[in-house]
Amino acid sequence: EDVDIFGKFFVSAGVRADRSSWNGNSNTFYFFPKIAGSVQLANFDFWEGIKGILPQAKIRAAYGEAGTSVNSQSAKYTLLSSSNNNLGALGSGLSIGARPGNSDIRPERAREFEVGADLTLGDNIAVIELTYFNKYIVDLILSRALPPSSGYGSIFQNSGEMSNEGIEASLNINAVRTETFEWRPRVNFFANRTKIVKLGDGINPFNSGGFGATYGANRIQPGLSATAIFGAENLTGGIYNGSKPAGDANPDFQGGFANNIRFGGLELYFFIDWRQGGHAVFLTQDLFDENGLSPDVEAAAERVRVVYSGSTRPYSPYITDASFVKFREASLTYTFGKAILAGGFLDAFDFIRIGLTGRNLLMFTPYRGYDPEVSNFGNQITAAGQDVAPFPSSRSFYATISIGF
C-alpha cells in the first residue's frame, strides 16, 4: 500500500507470507513485514529560500524483514542412501544417513533498518545519495555436532545471530551539458562490517572454509567478523586466544569511478573499481613453494619452514593483502544519426551505431596471484578468499553494431 500525503510525506507498507515444504512445519506461514517512509523537504514553504540550490531534498527511512529459506532436504528429513549389503543376489539396501532431520527447522530471519537522504543540486547538476543500513539476522541455520552414542554425526538447527551494518554513498554529476558535448562522471562508495553475535547452545566456533589455520582458515567465532581469517597466531591448542584475526576476506571499503563522455556522435565510457583492504589465502603460492617452482628460493624455503614448524609456528605466511584497483570496462561507440544517413539506401535507418568494448582490461594490486577476487568455495561468503590454483580471469573484447529503424 502506498500513501501520498500532500506531496510531502510518502509511506509504503506491505507484508509477505511464505511457507515451504522444506520447513519443519510445511503448513506454517512465516510473515515478513516492511514499511518505508520519506519526507520531501523541497515541497515545504520553508525550503523556498534555497530551492534554487537544492530543488530536491528527500529524507527516507525503511524497515523490513526477509527470510532465507531452508536450502537442504537434510535439514528437515532424515535421508536414506543405497548401501551394498554384500549378500550377492539380494543386491543393495538402504541405510540411514548420518544427519537426522529436524522437524522444528524454520527460515532464517533478517531484520533491516535503513535511513538515508537524496539531494539534487541546481538544475540537476549533481545527485547525491547517502544511506546507512543495519541488518540483524536471527535463527541462523547451523550444523550442531551430536554425540557418537546417538548414531548420528550432526543436525541442522536454528541457532545463532549475526549483525551487518554499513554505509553507501554515490555522487552523479552532469559536469558539462551542451548540444554537442556531455560529461557525466559518477562516484560510489561502500563499506560494511559484520559480526557473529552468538552461535547458540551446543555449537562451538568452527572453520567455515580453508585448509586449517596453518595456512589461513575462514572461521566463525562469536564477537568477530563473519569473514574473519584465522592464522596460526590466533589459536593456542586449537582454542581462540583472543588475538586480532590475521585477516578478513571483507575489504575496508570499496569504491567505483565511472565516466560517460560524449562529443557529437562519439561516446566514451569507462569504469574503475577500487577495493581497499581485505585478505586472501594464497595457497597457490604454497604449491609453488613446496614443489620448487617459486623464483625466490630463499623466501619460499622460509615460508615452508614456518608452515612445518609445528606448535611453535609464529604466523601463517600465505595470508595476503587483496587490495586492488581494476580497470573493469571501457567502450567507445560512434552513432551515425538520421542527418548523416539521409539520402541513398541508408535513409531507411534512424541510426547506425558501431562500437568496441573491452572488459577486465587492467589490474593494479600487491596480490601475487592471478586475481585477488578469488574463492575456491564459490559464492560462499563465509569461505571467501581461498586461492587454490584457479584459472586466471579472462580479458574480453567485443565489437558491436546496432541499427535502428
Side-chain angles (χ1 to χ4, degrees), residues 237-252:
I239 305 299
Y240 176 46
N241 56 27
S243 59
K244 181 181 178 180
D248 194 320
N250 189 51
D252 298 331

Side-chain angles (χ1 to χ4, degrees), residues 54-75:
L54 289 171
Q56 297 290 332
K58 180 171 69 176
I59 298 175
R60 49 185 165 76
Y63 172 82
E65 297 185 9
T68 300
S69 60
V70 180
N71 61 3
S72 173
Q73 289 179 323
S74 64

Side-chain angles (χ1 to χ4, degrees), residues 18 23 32 65-71 105-110 135 137-141 158:
D18 292 345
N23 293 334
F32 303 100
E65 297 185 9
T68 300
S69 60
V70 180
N71 61 3
I105 201 74
R106 58 190 180 276
E108 299 176 347
R109 181 178 294 268
K135 179 186 291 187
I137 305 171
V138 298
D139 289 338
L140 290 173
I141 299 175
N158 294 98

Side-chain angles (χ1 to χ4, degrees), residues 119-154:
L119 306 172
T120 300
L121 303 179
D123 183 17
N124 204 34
I125 294 174
V127 177
I128 302 171
E129 296 180 359
L130 304 170
T131 301
Y132 165 79
F133 66 88
N134 191 314
K135 179 186 291 187
Y136 199 87
I137 305 171
V138 298
D139 289 338
L140 290 173
I141 299 175
L142 301 173
S143 179
R144 175 171 64 88
L146 296 175
S149 59
S150 69
Y152 295 103
S154 62

Side-chain angles (χ1 to χ4, degrees), residues 228-273:
I229 297 176
F230 270 36
E233 63 267 41
N234 298 127
L235 300 175
T236 302
I239 305 299
Y240 176 46
N241 56 27
S243 59
K244 181 181 178 180
D248 194 320
N250 189 51
D252 298 331
F253 65 83
Q254 291 182 259
F257 178 59
N259 260 288
N260 283 87
I261 301 171
R262 182 187 65 82
F263 181 71
L266 186 66
E267 184 170 352
L268 171 67
Y269 166 80
F270 64 84
F271 177 63
I272 297 173
D273 189 11

